[in-house]
């Protein structure tokens, strides 16, 4: 038997290149292992964490941690029953304080391993660039190379960027488990690791760096991982704003500059051109009311104000720094008339700047920004001077002043200065405006139905709106939309729900006046299942003046969200009926003939399973493309993807390229949810890389695959058959098996997740334990915690077996293998399933199943799950031709190999704590330990919610 893997914090292994503080690096004499620096970082951080555990808790606790790790490795590797018994005995003997210490140790190791992996991705990307390697898939260079190789010209690229819109949208959901304080600690550690890569350190510098790393690890250890109070919506707003500080405000302008410079390198004609601001980060935080009663008009307005604060404070700081840098004297350089006029308008009377027009002009810009801050936010910015100035009417006016400075530098021999901080600031202003990020407003269609019914009944007694059929509702709503007369009266006492909704719409109108319509550009209807759902929203927009019938103008997009399998199947017909209504068609003219449609991956998966959800989404897109094309309208798809495969997650690049032909028309929005936000955007360099991937994929999908041939009829028939079989298998387990609800609640941490202070939204839509009422997010998150990942694969094995029985073993398998080779959609589905299965662990899941008290129920259901898991793995390997899971994804395979032996103990500790807690030992330390383990497992899996 092989010896257990050495625990990084126990090894003390860390080497450095002689005479420097830099680790051995590929390219150094005798060093060829590309992953050596990663292992060195993990060992270094693990050793520091181990030293911290010894120092803080003593040798005895450290030895317990190591013993648990060894048993866990044996149990994982060999499904060793003796190891299981030893592990259970060790865990059973732990005191409550020791249990918490073990959970913390392995949780923090998961966090540290993530930091090391992110840094290694950055390191490898830089190594490729330094070596002059061919551009990698997902990079802008690769996309441009592919476009030009296909014979497209500069004009095609210009047209793409002119009309493009790419928008990742941050959402607040109860799977984002990290506190901002923890993220700050992580950022410090990442910066220190990066420093070790970027330069050769002297022995003194290396010692200082290592000491700083030790301090950072100790700070992380001593920083509370859990929130002690439940998050409010405004806490979630602040958490979301962190990523603008970490990444977006600086890295988005950097990315734009890289794109422009890359285009100029390909064609000199691009040299003087600037791209439109097509890449923007959106947000649901503070505007998503669906199932969240805490999102009110007051919360929305405060969210907008906090966003504006971040934007304006950033601009003020950048202008201040820019003024300190542009110390250009008229004794040595000329300035344009416009620049000189701007300097005069500033009324800067300082004698020290009398010959420095650029500083004078920027002083005036700073004063006007401070006045804008006062006008929009009602208070003075920190450090504001006394210089009187008029506020900017909008961000465009600020951009105009910066353009004057830019033009003057260009025309007076200072072009290099225009390409530095000023270039990035100009781009930031054009991208973020004064509102920072567009907030989407979302509400459930049932709420809109009740509100409109109440308004109609008060204005027109006897209407009985809810008793009308769909066509009757459409006729009545169109009648209301034909007049400017409002329905609501200030003299009628409405229900709290109706009053609250009206308040939201009026707050939105005020925001449009204050920040511009770009601040709140989308109104989304959850659970859309008919045309009347969209017309109800239109009527409510009219109440606030956002829809103006007499002008046939609409100041925001009305966005249907199709979520369930049935709604996805009906979506094309629903949109066809909507577009046949002339009044609505006229409104779309004010939206540049663009209609956005949101597709829900989460609820469709919970409703019908992974395979059927993916297939119904794909079919809906094909039909929507056809409907929109027939009406001469532009389709913009908004993909409501989660972090996990069970909620539509997976690599963004492959997902975008796997869209059917015509579904990506230069415009795409997609949600970024849960702990994926931190994984993608907490590190600035990783964040910029992820944004670049979105641009590259959208460029390729639009220009290279926009008119891709439809899949072969044989592929479509086979996929439909697979979907039908998988749907029946999934529904039979989840919705038709007696006792499955009990099994789910007892074998997972769903009850404990509902108590965890990681989101403002309740875990269920209603006060029940029914699977139907549970939100898709905690549903998927719970299965990830127990390492089954069931929503990401269940039903595939049964589907393949049934398909082969129908089509014949040899012919059927040959067709499936051909589909995998030739059809990006099918290949992407299998690739995502490959990842999920590799992260699942039946042996660990069996320990969670043991928590189910009814032995017969446990054996019946877990036996089915275990059998289907084995069948699914076997089918996947056979279709893909892999010998093992993830053979086609060596990077992820390496990651799992390196990290999961140290993630698995968290699951074992969690099971033990759940057992104690549910047996009545409801000590606060046990509850806290369970929640620590939830955080740690989520961090280790990285895309579990």
């Amino acid at each position: 038997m092989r010896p257990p893997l050495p625990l990084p914090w126990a090894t003390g292994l860390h080497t450095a290149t002689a005479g420097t503080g830099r680790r051995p690096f590929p390219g150094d004499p005798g060093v060829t292992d590309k992953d050596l620096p990663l292992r060195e970082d993990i060992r270094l951080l693990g050793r520091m964490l181990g030293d911290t555990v010894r120092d803080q808790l003593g040798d005895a606790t450290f030895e317990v941690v190591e013993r648990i790790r060894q048993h866990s490795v044996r149990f994982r590797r060999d499904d060793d029953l003796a190891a299981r018994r030893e592990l259970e005995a060790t865990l059973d003997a732990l005191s409550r304080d020791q249990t918490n210490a073990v959970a913390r140790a392995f949780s923090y190791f998961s966090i540290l391993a993530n930091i090391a992996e992110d840094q290694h991705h950055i390191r490898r990307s830089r190594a490729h660039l330094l070596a002059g390697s061919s551009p990698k898939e997902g990079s802008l260079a690769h996309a441009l190379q592919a476009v030009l190789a296909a014979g497209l010209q500069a004009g095609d690229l210009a047209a793409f960027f002119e009309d493009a819109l790419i928008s990742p949208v941050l959402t607040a959901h109860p799977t984002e488990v990290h506190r901002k304080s923890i993220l700050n600690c992580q950022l410090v550690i990442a910066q220190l690791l990066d420093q070790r890569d970027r330069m050769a350190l002297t022995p003194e510098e290396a010692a200082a760096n290592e000491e700083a790393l030790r301090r950072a690890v100790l700070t992380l250890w001593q920083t509370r991982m859990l929130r002690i109070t439940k998050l409010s919506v405004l806490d979630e707003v602040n958490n979301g704003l962190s990523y603008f500080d970490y990444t977006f405000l600086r890295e988005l302008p950097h990315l734009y500059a890289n794109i422009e410079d890359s285009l100029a390198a390909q064609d000199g004609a691009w040299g003087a051109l600037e791209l439109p601001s097509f890449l923007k980060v959106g947000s649901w935080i503070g505007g998503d009311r669906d199932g969240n009663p805490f999102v009110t008009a007051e919360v929305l307005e405060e969210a907008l104000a906090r966003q504006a604060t971040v934007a304006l404070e950033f601009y003020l700081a950048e202008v201040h720094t820019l003024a300190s840098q542009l110390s250009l004297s008229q004794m040595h350089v000329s300035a344009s008339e416009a620049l000189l006029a701007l300097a005069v308008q500033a009324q800067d009377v300082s004698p020290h700047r009398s010959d420095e027009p650029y500083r004078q002009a920027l002083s005036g810009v700073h004063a006007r920004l401070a006045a804008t801050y006062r006008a929009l936010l009602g208070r003075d910015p920190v450090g504001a001077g006394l210089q009187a100035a008029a506020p900017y009417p909008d961000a465009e006016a600020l951009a105009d002043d910066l353009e004057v400075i830019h033009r003057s530098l260009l025309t007076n021999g200072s072009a290099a200065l225009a390409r530095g901080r000023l270039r990035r600031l100009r781009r930031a202003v054009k991208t973020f405006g004064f509102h920072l990020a567009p907030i989407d407003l979302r509400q459930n269609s049932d709420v809109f139905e009740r509100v409109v019914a109440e308004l109609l009944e008060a204005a027109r007694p006897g209407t009985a709106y809810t008793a009308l059929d769909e066509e009757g509702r459409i006729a009545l709503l169109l009648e209301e939309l034909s007049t400017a007369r409002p329905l609501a009266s200030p003299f009628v006492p409405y229900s709290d729900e109706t009053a609250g909704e009206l308040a939201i719409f009026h707050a939105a109108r005020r925001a449009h006046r204050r920040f511009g319509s770009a601040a709140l550009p989308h109104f989304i209807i959850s659970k859309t299942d008919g045309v009347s759902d969209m017309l109800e929203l239109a009527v409510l927009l009219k109440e606030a003046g956002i829809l103006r019938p007499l002008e046939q103008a609409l100041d925001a997009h009305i966005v249907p969200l199709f979520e369930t399998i049935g709604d996805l199947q009906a979506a094309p017909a629903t949109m066809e009926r909507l577009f046949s209504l002339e009044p609505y068609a006229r409104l779309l003219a004010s939206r540049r003939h663009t209609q956005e449609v949101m597709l829900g991956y989460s609820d469709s998966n919970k409703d019908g399973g992974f395979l059927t959800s993916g297939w119904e989404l794909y079919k809906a897109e094909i039909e929507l493309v056809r409907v929109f094309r027939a009406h001469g309208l532009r389709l913009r798809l908004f993909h409501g993807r989660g972090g996990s495969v069970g909620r539509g997650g997976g690599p963004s690049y492959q997902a975008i390229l796997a869209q059917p032909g015509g579904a990506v028309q230069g415009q795409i929005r997609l949600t970024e949810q849960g702990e994926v936000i931190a994984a993608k955007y907490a590190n600035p360099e990783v964040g910029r890389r992820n944004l670049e991937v979105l641009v590259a994929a959208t460029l390729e999908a639009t220009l290279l695959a926009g008119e891709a041939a439809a899949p072969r009829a044989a592929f479509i028939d086979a996929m439909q058959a697979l979907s039908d079989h998988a749907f029946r298998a999934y529904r039979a387990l989840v919705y038709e098996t007696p006792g499955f609800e009990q099994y789910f609640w007892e074998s997972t941490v769903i009850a404990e997740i509902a108590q965890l202070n990681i989101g403002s939204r309740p875990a269920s839509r209603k006060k029940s334990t029914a699977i139907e009422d549970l939100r898709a997010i905690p549903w998927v998150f719970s299965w990830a915690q127990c390492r089954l990942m069931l929503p990401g694969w269940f039903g595939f094995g049964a589907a393949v077996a049934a398909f082969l029985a129908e089509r014949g073993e040899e012919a059927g398998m040959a067709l499936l293998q051909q589909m995998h080779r030739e059809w990006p959609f099918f290949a992407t589905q299998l690739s995502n399933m490959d990842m999920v299965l590799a992260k699942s662990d039946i042996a660990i899941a069996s320990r969670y199943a043991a928590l189910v008290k009814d032995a017969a129920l446990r054996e019946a259901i877990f036996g089915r799950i275990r059998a289907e898991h084995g069948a699914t793995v076997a089918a996947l390997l056979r279709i893909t031709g892999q010998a093992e899971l993830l053979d086609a994804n060596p990077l992820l395979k390496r990651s799992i190999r390196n990290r999961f032996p140290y993630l698995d103990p968290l699951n074992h500790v969690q099971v033990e704590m759940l057992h104690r807690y549910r047996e009545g030992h409801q000590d606060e330390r046990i509850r806290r330990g369970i929640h620590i383990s939830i955080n740690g497992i989520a961090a280790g899996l990285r895309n579990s919610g």
Side-chain angles (χ1 to χ4, degrees):
M1 181 179 289
R2 290 172 296 172
L5 295 171
L7 183 66
W9 55 60
T11 62
L13 294 176
H14 178 70
T15 58
T17 302
T20 75
R22 184 170 67 81
R23 65 183 51 74
F25 200 85
D28 289 340
V31 178
T32 58
D33 184 350
K34 295 177 181 178
D35 292 336
L36 178 61
L38 171 62
R39 291 198 298 275
E40 285 289 310
D41 279 345
I42 290 177
R43 286 169 179 155
L44 174 66
L45 295 175
R47 176 165 57 87
M48 290 179 174
L49 178 61
D51 291 345
T52 300
V53 172
R54 284 185 190 275
D55 292 345
Q56 299 291 304
L57 302 178
D59 288 342
T61 298
F62 178 87
E63 294 304 325
V64 167
V65 169
E66 168 65 354
R67 191 159 57 251
I68 290 171
R69 185 204 62 80
Q70 290 180 354
H71 295 327
S72 176
V73 168
R74 285 171 54 205
F75 183 50
R76 174 181 178 79
R77 187 180 60 206
D78 303 320
D79 201 5
D80 187 325
L81 293 180
R84 176 173 181 157
R85 286 192 293 270
E86 291 170 15
L87 179 63
E88 289 173 344
T90 301
L91 293 172
D92 189 55
L94 293 178
S95 69
R96 292 171 184 177
D97 286 335
Q98 282 180 316
T99 303
N100 272 5
V102 169
R104 288 181 67 210
F106 285 107
S107 293
Y108 283 123
F109 180 75
S110 289
I111 290 173
L112 293 173
N114 288 346
I115 297 171
E117 281 204 340
D118 286 344
Q119 187 58 35
H120 192 59
H121 289 317
I122 294 169
R123 179 186 300 125
R124 294 306 309 152
S125 294
R126 295 187 72 244
H128 278 286
L129 293 172
L130 289 169
S133 304
S134 298
K136 297 176 65 178
E137 272 196 349
S139 67
L140 180 69
H142 178 272
L144 290 176
Q145 188 179 79
V147 166
L148 295 175
L152 287 109
Q153 305 299 316
D156 300 303
L157 286 167
F160 167 82
F161 286 114
E162 185 63 36
D163 219 17
L165 174 66
I166 302 169
S167 181
V169 180
L170 309 184
T171 70
H173 279 300
T175 60
E176 173 43 71
V177 294
H178 288 316
R179 294 180 62 220
K180 186 173 183 294
S181 299
I182 295 291
L183 292 175
N184 289 339
C185 291
Q186 291 178 237
L187 194 59
V188 171
I189 294 169
Q191 289 168 341
L192 289 166
L193 286 182
D194 189 64
Q195 185 184 68
R196 299 168 72 87
D197 271 346
R198 300 289 175 123
M199 63 183 74
L201 303 176
T202 66
E204 183 179 348
E205 290 167 341
N209 177 280
E210 186 156 333
E211 185 178 351
L213 268 174
R214 286 187 177 280
R215 287 196 300 270
V217 170
L218 177 60
T219 302
L220 179 67
W221 177 260
Q222 295 185 338
T223 297
R224 175 170 39 84
M225 183 180 284
L226 301 178
R227 300 182 177 98
I228 56 176
T229 58
K230 192 168 184 65
L231 280 182
S232 71
V233 177
L234 291 176
D235 291 329
E236 292 174 333
V237 169
N238 289 337
N239 287 346
L241 292 176
S242 303
Y243 299 99
F244 288 86
D245 290 330
Y246 295 147
T247 297
F248 299 129
L249 281 165
R250 293 168 182 83
E251 296 303 326
L252 258 178
H254 188 171
L255 177 58
Y256 273 106
N258 285 351
I259 295 171
E260 288 168 346
D261 292 345
S262 296
L263 290 169
Q266 297 285 347
D267 187 336
W270 286 92
L273 297 179
E274 293 186 357
L275 295 174
S277 293
F278 64 90
L279 177 58
K280 299 187 177 186
V281 178
S283 177
W284 276 15
I285 311 174
D288 184 9
R289 313 191 304 292
D290 183 12
N292 194 337
F294 306 111
V295 178
T296 63
E298 294 76 18
V299 165
L300 172 62
E301 292 187 303
E302 180 60 24
L304 287 161
R306 292 188 185 190
Q307 288 193 174
T309 299
V310 170
L312 290 168
E313 289 181 351
F314 176 76
Y315 299 153
L316 284 163
E318 288 296 297
V319 168
H320 179 79
T321 303
L322 192 60
S324 72
Q325 294 175 345
L326 290 183
S327 53
L328 285 62
S329 170
Q330 280 187 286
M331 297 179 185
H332 304 302
V333 67
S334 299
S336 68
E337 291 298 321
L339 187 283
L340 294 173
L342 198 60
V344 170
Q345 291 169 17
Q347 299 181 357
D348 184 346
V349 296
S350 169
H352 303 296
R353 293 190 289 270
S354 60
D355 67 330
E356 297 173 343
Y358 290 96
R359 278 183 164 169
Q360 290 175 327
L362 286 163
S363 173
V365 170
H366 194 278
R368 291 195 69 184
L369 268 173
T372 305
Y373 191 107
R374 292 185 200 99
L376 289 177
L377 301 173
R379 61 183 187 274
D380 284 335
V382 175
L386 302 176
Q387 187 176 345
Y392 284 110
D394 49 41
E396 288 74 17
L398 168 60
D400 289 344
D401 279 357
L402 296 176
E403 178 72 13
V404 167
I405 299 170
H406 169 75
R407 292 284 174 194
S408 182
L409 289 170
L410 287 184
T411 55
N412 289 284
S414 304
L417 299 180
R419 285 176 53 81
R421 186 178 295 273
L422 177 61
R423 182 189 192 185
R424 297 190 294 273
L425 175 58
R426 289 173 59 238
R427 176 59 70 184
V429 171
K430 292 176 182 177
T431 301
F432 301 106
F434 290 155
H435 61 282
L436 187 70
I439 296 179
D440 291 355
L441 292 179
R442 181 174 76 134
Q443 183 55 285
N444 193 286
S445 62
D446 291 342
V447 175
F448 288 153
E449 177 188 70
R450 291 193 295 269
V451 169
V452 168
E454 184 175 347
L455 292 175
L456 284 167
E457 198 61 33
R460 302 166 61 172
T463 301
Y465 175 75
T466 57
L468 297 175
D469 63 14
E470 177 68 0
E471 289 304 314
R473 292 185 180 195
I474 290 172
L476 180 55
L477 294 168
L478 288 176
E479 182 183 338
E480 285 299 325
L481 289 170
S482 69
T483 172
R485 168 189 51 76
L487 276 174
S489 166
F491 307 108
V492 174
Y494 295 109
S495 66
D496 290 344
E497 180 178 67
T498 294
E501 287 300 307
L502 291 173
I504 282 278
F505 284 100
H506 287 294
R509 178 60 176 161
R510 290 193 296 274
H512 277 195
R513 293 197 190 101
R514 188 178 177 190
F515 299 107
S517 60
L520 296 170
H522 304 98
F523 289 74
I524 301 170
I525 313 115
S526 297
K527 217 186 83 175
T528 299
D529 59 12
V531 169
S532 62
D533 293 333
M534 286 169 276
L535 297 184
E536 287 162 1
L537 172 56
V539 167
L540 294 173
L541 291 172
K542 189 194 78 168
E543 290 297 305
I546 296 171
L547 186 156
R548 298 183 301 284
L550 298 183
E551 302 170 42
Q552 297 180 4
L554 180 60
D555 293 339
H557 289 284
I558 293 174
V559 184
L561 167 51
F562 299 104
E563 299 180 83
T564 66
I565 299 297
D567 291 344
L568 288 169
Q569 292 170 339
T574 301
M575 300 310 295
E576 178 77 58
R577 179 72 178 100
L578 180 68
F579 297 152
S580 72
L581 304 176
E582 185 59 31
Y584 191 83
R586 288 196 295 269
L587 287 173
L588 282 181
S590 66
R591 306 308 305 164
R592 298 183 63 193
H593 301 285
T594 297
Q595 170 70 54
E596 184 169 300
V597 173
M598 185 171 183
L599 302 175
Y601 289 65
S602 306
D603 283 281
S604 61
N605 180 287
K606 187 166 79 75
D607 186 27
F610 162 72
L611 200 67
T612 298
S613 170
W615 179 231
E616 292 299 336
L617 286 159
Y618 189 86
K619 289 196 300 180
E621 290 185 42
I622 291 174
E623 285 302 301
L624 287 169
V625 169
R626 181 189 59 77
V627 169
F628 276 64
R629 187 169 290 159
H631 287 272
L633 297 171
R634 179 174 203 151
L635 169 64
R636 179 194 301 150
L637 286 173
F638 183 10
H639 299 270
R641 306 167 73 232
S644 66
V645 169
R647 296 188 53 242
S652 298
Y653 178 75
Q654 286 81 2
I656 293 172
L657 291 185
Q659 299 298 301
V664 183
Q665 302 174 22
Q667 300 197 351
I668 190 169
R669 298 208 304 145
L670 65 162
T671 52
E672 300 282 24
Q673 301 182 3
E675 73 283 354
V676 168
I677 297 174
K680 284 188 174 181
Y681 300 116
N683 183 297
E685 200 159 344
V686 172
R688 186 174 75 248
R689 165 67 177 153
N690 279 298
L691 293 169
E692 181 183 349
V693 164
L694 294 179
V695 176
T698 306
L699 180 65
E700 290 185 45
T702 302
L703 296 182
L704 300 180
E707 299 299 326
R712 292 173 46 190
F715 290 3
I716 292 176
D717 290 344
M719 191 64 219
Q720 186 62 56
L722 288 171
S723 174
D724 291 343
H725 292 308
F727 180 78
R728 284 191 289 271
Y730 176 84
R731 296 284 302 186
L733 175 73
V734 174
Y735 294 103
E736 298 165 14
T737 298
F740 183 82
E741 180 185 313
Q742 176 188 342
Y743 178 90
F744 171 66
W745 280 84
E746 291 186 11
S747 70
T748 73
V749 291
I750 179 61
E752 290 72 21
I753 287 172
Q755 300 168 10
L756 190 53
N757 296 315
I758 53 178
S760 66
R761 184 190 308 271
S764 288
R765 290 182 171 90
K766 300 177 183 177
K767 292 183 178 180
S768 82
T769 60
I771 304 298
E772 292 87 343
D773 296 330
L774 188 67
R775 293 187 180 280
I777 300 151
W779 162 257
V780 172
F781 194 63
S782 298
W783 288 116
Q785 286 282 311
C786 72
R787 302 289 291 282
L788 264 179
M789 317 284 192
L790 182 142
W793 57 266
F794 192 89
F796 184 75
V800 171
F803 179 81
L804 295 180
E806 292 172 351
R807 302 294 181 95
E809 187 75 23
E810 188 173 335
M813 181 53 64
L815 178 58
L816 295 178
Q817 290 170 341
Q818 184 182 14
M819 289 164 62
H820 176 255
R821 290 193 304 271
E822 299 178 10
W823 192 10
F825 163 75
F826 191 62
T828 299
Q829 293 289 100
L830 267 57
S831 174
N832 287 338
M833 189 163 54
D834 193 12
M835 174 183 70
V836 167
L837 289 167
K839 291 186 175 183
S840 67
D841 191 301
I842 284 292
I844 288 176
S846 70
R847 298 204 66 228
Y848 285 87
L851 294 169
V852 178
K853 294 180 180 178
D854 185 327
L857 179 67
R858 176 175 68 239
E859 290 305 317
I861 292 181
F862 186 70
R864 286 172 65 182
I865 293 172
R866 184 198 293 268
E868 178 63 12
H869 183 273
T872 297
V873 171
L876 176 71
L877 294 177
R878 191 174 173 196
I879 294 169
T880 60
Q882 299 181 126
E884 294 181 339
L885 294 174
L886 292 181
D887 277 353
N889 189 343
L891 292 180
L892 182 57
K893 191 173 185 179
R894 176 204 69 203
S895 172
I896 288 175
R897 185 179 64 246
N898 286 344
R899 293 192 296 122
F900 276 32
Y902 314 108
L903 174 64
D904 294 352
L906 274 172
N907 288 106
H908 295 299
V909 172
Q910 185 181 86
V911 170
E912 177 63 25
M913 290 188 291
L914 287 171
H915 175 73
R916 293 184 188 183
Y917 191 71
R918 293 174 183 181
E919 288 297 311
H921 303 289
Q922 296 191 356
D923 182 281
E924 172 60 23
R925 288 170 293 179
I926 295 292
R927 190 190 68 84
R928 188 166 64 246
I930 292 170
H931 291 173
I932 289 171
S933 71
I934 291 172
N935 281 45
I937 293 167
L941 294 173
R942 306 207 84 174
N943 59 350
S944 59

